């Protein structure tokens, strides 16, 4: 049902991208060291960007699903 909807697939991919960046960011924070000092803020910034895109896609999916499109 939802598997054929390209907007649903895009929302799932965006959510998985958020999860991936979050895991890498938290892992770097937990480990500390040079990676965290160099990339910690950048990873969390990317998480915010990807999370914004994911939320927009989810809202668009729900909106168009309610419209029957």
């Amino acid at each position: 049902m939802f598997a054929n909807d390209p907007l649903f697939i895009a929302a799932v991919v965006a959510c998985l991208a958020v999860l991936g960046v979050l895991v890498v960011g938290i892992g770097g924070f937990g480990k500390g060291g040079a990676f965290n000092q160099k990339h910690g803020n950048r990873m969390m910034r990317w998480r915010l960007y990807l999370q914004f895109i994911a939320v927009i896609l989810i809202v668009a999916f729900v909106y168009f699903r309610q419209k029957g499109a």
Side-chain angles (χ1 to χ4, degrees):
M1 183 172 175
F2 292 140
N4 296 332
D5 191 340
L7 197 53
F8 178 75
I9 295 169
V12 169
V13 169
C15 289
L16 291 174
V18 170
L19 180 63
V21 171
L22 180 63
V23 167
V24 171
I26 289 176
F29 178 75
K31 189 175 180 181
F35 177 82
N36 188 48
Q37 287 179 342
K38 186 173 183 179
H39 301 291
N41 284 337
R42 182 177 305 144
M43 296 302 291
M44 290 304 109
R45 217 173 304 129
W46 272 103
R47 181 191 57 85
L48 287 173
Y49 299 147
L50 290 171
Q51 197 169 0
F52 175 76
I53 292 168
V55 168
I56 294 299
L57 288 170
I58 291 168
V59 169
F61 173 74
V62 170
Y63 175 78
F64 288 121
R65 263 321 245 193
Q66 287 179 346
K67 290 281 187 178

